[in-house]
Each structure stands twice: as C-alpha cells, then as structure tokens.
Amino acid sequence: MKSSVIIFPGSNCDRDMNVALNKFGFKNQMVWHNDAEIPKSDLIVLPGGFSYGDYLRCGSIAGKSRIIKSVVNFANSGGLVLGICNGFQILTETGLLPGILQQNKYLNFICKNVFVKIKNKENKYFKNINKEVLELHIAHNEGNYFCSKDELKSIEDNGQIAVTYCDDKGNEDEYNNPNGAIKNIAGIFNKDKNILGMMPHPERMIDPFLSGEDGSLFFENLIGNV
Amino acid sequence: MKVKVIVTLKNGVLDPQGKAIQQTLNGMTFDNVSEVRQGKYFDIEVNESDESKAKSQVEEMCKKLLANLVIEDYKIL
C-alpha cells in the first residue's frame, strides 16, 4: 500500500507521519507542495505544522498551492485523504471539508493528551477499531471547529462527525472540550467518508514507551482497510 | 490603482481576540467600551486603471482567498 505525505513550507509533523505510516506497513513517499503531480498512492496525508507560517488564516495559503489540484482530483475520485491538525485546516480551506477551524476559545495554545470518542465506524478510518474512546495528542492554537447551523445539521444528518472530545469514559461535555469546538467536534468526514480531517495526532501515539498506543490502533486499522 | 479591503468576522461569530481587547480596554479605565471586533485590512495595488475592473478583480480575490465566507465578510472600500 502506497501513501504520500505532502510537505508544505512550515509542515513539522511530516516526518513523524512518515515514521508512523512506514511502521504499520505503508510504503510512504514524501511529496513537495510545489510538485504538479502526486505519485500513485492509496492514501494522501496532509500533515500537521504551520504551513506558510499560518499567514492570512491557517491553511489558506497551502490550500492554494500547486499540489492541491492533484489532491482535490484524487479526493473527488474517491481516494483516501487524511488531514491532521494543520492538514485538517488545509482541507477546510480547500473546501473538501465543510466549516473552519477558528482560534481556540480561551486564546491559548493547547498541547496535551485528550480522549476522543469515535462517532462513526462505517468508514475505512475507524471500521475495525475495537474501542469507542481513543487517547490521542493535540497541539494547536486554532482547533475550534465552527460551521453554520445549516451546515452542522447536514454534517450530523450525514454521519460526518468522526471524533469528538470527551473524557476517558466517553462523556462529551463542555468540561472536556479543550478549544470551544462546536459539539465537541475533533474531526469530520466528507459525505462519502473518504476524506478525514482531525485535530488529534495519531502519529504521536504509536510507541508505548514514549506516549501511548491508540494511534497504533488507528494506523493498523487503516492499512487493513486500504 | 490601489484597492482597499476590510475583512471582518460575521455577526454572531465568536471573536476571542476582540473580547480580550475589550476586557483589556475596560481594565485600562475605558469603561464605556462594550464590544470590540477585530478584523484585517489589505492594501492591494492592482495594475489596472479602470476602477470598476480593478474592484471586480479584488472581489474575486476576496471570495477565493482573502476572506473565508464561512465566518468572514469583506468590504471593498
């Protein structure tokens, strides 16, 4: 299974993602944002970081870069596209995912482990994970998911909410919402569920000695379903 | 010609920076400040002498890049 991680100027989770993908059996290649074409891939990943220094709005400049046309074509033909953190922001700025990630409600950069509840398993990203709640890491300043009321209704009606912030037992309350995201949303799909954007970093949870292993569950499941 | 654009958050969209600025102003004895909304200002030099053409180009720029219409409005001055 081949994967491609796109590197933008300011990406900083690209190599962690490369390590994670290779560890779980993907044959990963790194692709520069100014390339015109993406090599043949089963999965494209937009990694975390601060593409273009977060100028204008997070992900907005990267969302217009040369490689993005290929990403959009790949996604529109049903290809799997995963955006983590800044990658999620880029996906909303390209219009592949609805809504936007705004500045965190309390104006602080948040860097900590959180629990997220899997809200939909009828997709390749979470299909065979035998857990309802995962412990993952977040590190962001703009993770406060927002969309219009109409859009939220359509997201909910179509089962597009992927993961929500919660406690270790899966309670999705305001206390366990780190950034003010609407409905505790930590990640969403497009309608067809081939595109996933989420703020938490599964690539940071693949080593029991350094962090935890719930990210391993995510990648093991993903390679099994690609 | 130069075209000026202001991008602001839509009404009803939470503006935590504006709120922090408002609270700071209140703390500095500017008690009568009840709300601050922060926005962005752009000076765009367009190589186009026809004002309406230049402005319609800038309007496209606003829709495609300068503003995210999910949460922001733009005004071409």
Side-chain angles (χ1 to χ4, degrees):
Chain A
M1 291 300 146
K2 286 186 177 168
S3 58
S4 295
V5 172
I6 317 282
I7 311 171
F8 300 95
S11 294
N12 63 10
C13 301
D14 46 327
R15 283 167 291 177
D16 286 9
M17 185 55 81
N18 181 46
V19 169
L21 290 166
N22 285 323
K23 180 175 177 178
F24 294 98
F26 283 94
K27 201 168 179 303
N28 187 54
Q29 53 219 332
M30 307 300 276
V31 180
W32 185 235
H33 71 105
N34 209 22
D35 291 354
E37 292 290 331
I38 293 172
K40 198 174 167 356
S41 309
D42 302 293
L43 168 73
I44 294 175
V45 183
L46 306 182
F50 301 84
S51 58
Y52 295 90
D54 283 349
Y55 294 167
L56 190 61
R57 293 178 308 276
C58 300
S60 62
I61 311 277
K64 308 292 174 202
S65 62
R66 195 166 177 224
I67 197 77
I68 286 296
K69 274 185 192 156
S70 307
V71 177
V72 172
N73 289 339
F74 179 81
N76 287 340
S77 63
L80 293 184
V81 177
L82 169 66
I84 301 295
C85 198
N86 187 224
F88 184 11
Q89 295 162 344
I90 295 168
L91 287 174
T92 62
E93 282 287 344
T94 58
L96 285 172
L97 291 176
I100 188 171
L101 284 312
Q102 285 192 278
Q103 188 165 36
N104 296 340
K105 189 175 176 185
Y106 302 108
L107 294 170
N108 50 349
F109 186 96
I110 307 167
C111 181
K112 66 174 187 179
N113 288 1
V114 294
F115 292 99
V116 294
K117 187 171 188 174
I118 302 171
K119 301 292 281 185
N120 184 343
K121 288 194 179 180
E122 286 170 26
N123 55 78
K124 292 186 173 175
Y125 295 98
F126 298 103
K127 198 175 175 184
N128 297 316
I129 297 181
N130 288 326
K131 269 181 142 180
E132 305 309 311
V133 174
L134 300 177
E135 185 179 16
L136 295 174
H137 191 79
I138 55 169
H140 60 246
N141 193 50
E142 285 86 5
N144 180 354
Y145 184 78
F146 179 85
C147 61
S148 69
K149 273 184 187 160
D150 293 346
E151 218 151 28
L152 181 64
K153 187 175 182 311
S154 142
I155 289 170
E156 288 183 309
D157 290 351
N158 293 308
Q160 286 175 252
I161 300 180
V163 281
T164 50
Y165 300 107
C166 61
D167 65 9
D168 57 350
K169 295 182 181 61
N171 297 313
E172 305 151 279
D173 52 16
E174 201 183 330
Y175 181 74
N176 290 291
N177 183 344
N179 52 28
I182 199 165
K183 295 264 175 181
N184 282 38
I185 288 173
I188 56 165
F189 301 109
N190 64 332
K191 274 187 186 153
D192 292 336
K193 322 286 184 302
N194 61 309
I195 307 172
L196 168 64
M198 63 177 184
M199 293 315 293
H201 291 263
E203 77 278 13
R204 294 188 185 180
M205 283 292 189
I206 57 164
D207 188 323
F209 296 108
L210 287 176
S211 46
E213 284 194 292
D214 282 1
S216 307
L217 300 177
F218 178 81
F219 288 106
E220 278 165 2
N221 170 69
L222 187 54
I223 184 108
N225 291 326
V226 173
Chain B
M1 65 172 292
K2 190 172 274 186
V3 181
K4 298 171 180 184
V5 177
I6 289 180
V7 173
T8 50
L9 285 170
K10 287 184 172 166
N11 283 338
V13 174
L14 186 74
D15 179 7
Q17 288 193 81
K19 186 87 187 156
I21 294 165
Q22 179 226 319
Q23 287 169 349
T24 305
L25 287 169
N26 292 154
M28 292 164 67
T29 73
F30 296 105
D31 299 333
N32 55 354
V33 176
S34 58
E35 190 182 25
V36 176
R37 306 281 287 170
Q38 187 177 302
K40 293 171 187 154
Y41 170 78
F42 301 87
D43 253 343
I44 303 172
E45 192 69 49
V46 188
N47 292 328
E48 173 62 65
S49 49
D50 183 323
E51 187 180 335
S52 71
K53 274 187 188 166
K55 286 192 170 174
S56 81
Q57 282 178 23
V58 170
E59 177 139 22
E60 278 298 292
M61 295 175 205
C62 288
K63 288 179 184 164
K64 289 184 175 169
L65 181 69
L66 301 182
N68 184 317
L69 301 181
V70 177
I71 50 165
E72 292 171 326
D73 286 327
Y74 62 86
K75 197 188 276 179
I76 298 167
L77 304 178

